Amino acid sequence: MITDARALKPAFVPRDIAHRDGPIDHLAATLDPLTAENVTIFGPSGTGKTTLAKYVLGRLERDRLEYRWGYHNCMSESSTAGALHSLVRDAGLGRDLRRTGTPTGTYIDRISEREEPMALVLDEIDMLDDPTLLVTLAGLRDVSLVTICVD
């Protein structure tokens, strides 16, 4: 029985995830700013991949003095510019940037110029128009990529 209607909203992230301690601890260790790595989470639809990523990154953000992360669902916008705009704004690095007319280099500069470690989550990665964006983002200092896809 659902006791909190917010659980039906796509952006909802629970305060706790039961019976997933192993995957939570593994992902948290992988994304720890001291040993940050890139990670791909994959599996069937509806298994909690996105919820797991958001939960762990939210926990890291609370536990670390300085840690940023941004999220983008490539199904809603598959262009490089759209993905970068969403990631930078969600991470709090570009609230002043407009969706139209901002060069992609400006978004990359905002990510590059930040001081703290960060993770960038690209959900439904198989929908991204240009996969070279992954190479660009993976080459940035102190950036961990979290890519999410179905099997």
Side-chain angles (χ1 to χ4, degrees):
M1 173 180 224
I2 297 175
T3 58
D4 186 345
R6 293 176 301 169
L8 300 174
K9 295 183 178 183
F12 177 76
V13 178
R15 289 185 185 162
D16 193 24
I17 299 178
H19 312 294
R20 298 271 176 105
D21 292 340
I24 289 169
D25 293 342
H26 179 73
L27 186 57
T30 301
L31 297 175
D32 187 296
L34 299 176
T35 59
E37 298 179 33
N38 299 326
V39 64
T40 298
I41 303 171
F42 60 93
S45 293
T47 56
K49 300 176 298 292
T50 301
T51 299
L52 177 67
K54 288 180 173 182
Y55 175 80
V56 169
L57 289 167
R59 193 172 87 174
L60 282 170
E61 186 177 42
R62 284 188 307 274
D63 292 347
R64 303 284 178 198
L65 186 56
E66 294 185 2
Y67 191 81
R68 286 185 187 262
W69 64 282
Y71 172 84
H72 176 69
N73 186 329
C74 298
M75 191 174 287
S76 65
E77 172 61 66
S78 60
S79 71
T80 296
L84 285 169
H85 180 77
S86 178
L87 289 168
V88 167
R89 287 185 55 96
D90 194 56
L93 297 171
R95 299 193 196 283
D96 60 318
L97 300 177
R98 292 186 317 219
R99 170 65 181 93
T100 56
T102 301
T104 56
T106 302
Y107 297 116
I108 300 297
D109 290 344
R110 291 287 175 98
I111 296 168
S112 298
E113 293 167 356
R114 89 217 172 296
E115 299 291 324
E116 61 280 320
M118 77 180 306
L120 299 174
V121 181
L122 290 162
D123 203 348
E124 305 288 351
I125 193 66
D126 54 316
M127 302 302 290
L128 193 61
D129 289 346
D130 186 3
T132 60
L133 174 61
L134 300 176
V135 175
T136 301
L137 295 175
L140 298 177
R141 171 188 55 83
D142 294 330
V143 171
S144 295
L145 290 180
V146 179
T147 55
I148 303 172
C149 61
V150 177
D151 284 338

